[in-house]
Amino acid sequence: IYGIVRANTIGIVALILVLYLVVREIHFSRSVMVIFYFFNVCATSGFRIILRKGLQNIRKKGYNLKHILLVGYSRAAEEYIDRLMDNPQWGYVACGILDNNVPAGTLYKGVKVLGSLGNLEIILPENKLDEIAITLSLRDYDYLEAIVGTCEKFGVHTKFIPDYNHIVP
């Protein structure tokens, strides 16, 4: 709502400046501008609130969700899963994790390790995944080029989630 108020304020100020300085028109209805400003702010804010609530209800029913596969089990993966679960309004669902160092079947907050990194070529054609989140630990960065190449081959969007806890300043 702050952004809507800010944008409308800048717009009204710009309009008044153009009317005074460029058009040289000093006879215009200020009350109409004030009414327009408040109506525009209220209508736009109301629409955004209704839209957000509607999307939340749709996502609670399991629609309009993005399914993500995490590649690499690390602290970054755990933190990313925590953020996704804390913010269901984002509409992301973690479907599973692939990692070479953690045994298949291991669970973290309901998200299961599905197998090794080599299973990526098997999983991508079978599933309708929207994104791959690469959350590799530093010791597994040797696999990064092959993982990105596989994701590009199947046309799946990738995003990198760095592990800030293991970066040396």
Side-chain angles (χ1 to χ4, degrees), residues 45-64:
S45 299
F47 176 75
R48 298 274 303 211
I49 291 168
I50 290 169
L51 181 66
R52 186 171 297 224
K53 293 294 182 187
L55 284 173
Q56 284 176 349
N57 289 335
I58 290 170
R59 287 180 177 148
K60 283 180 185 176
K61 294 177 183 176
Y63 300 111
N64 194 29

Side-chain angles (χ1 to χ4, degrees), residues 42 64 67 70 87-88 120 131 140:
C42 292
N64 194 29
H67 301 282
L70 282 76
N87 298 288
L120 187 61
E131 288 185 14
D140 291 330

Side-chain angles (χ1 to χ4, degrees), residues 50-121:
I50 290 169
L51 181 66
R52 186 171 297 224
K53 293 294 182 187
L55 284 173
Q56 284 176 349
N57 289 335
I58 290 170
R59 287 180 177 148
K60 283 180 185 176
K61 294 177 183 176
Y63 300 111
N64 194 29
L65 298 173
K66 283 191 175 188
H67 301 282
I68 296 179
L69 177 70
L70 282 76
V71 177
Y73 190 99
S74 63
R75 189 176 315 224
E78 291 177 350
E79 290 173 359
Y80 190 63
I81 291 168
D82 291 342
R83 280 184 288 170
L84 293 180
M85 293 191 173
D86 289 343
N87 298 288
Q89 70 273 11
W90 293 349
Y92 287 99
V93 175
C95 297
I97 305 170
L98 295 179
D99 192 85
N100 288 342
N101 303 313
V102 178
T106 304
L107 283 174
Y108 179 77
K109 294 192 177 180
V111 181
K112 186 188 272 190
V113 175
L114 302 174
S116 68
L117 298 176
N119 293 348
L120 187 61
E121 287 198 31

Side-chain angles (χ1 to χ4, degrees), residues 75-76 79 162-168:
R75 189 176 315 224
E79 290 173 359
D163 189 0
Y164 292 112
N165 296 322
H166 288 94
I167 295 176
V168 179

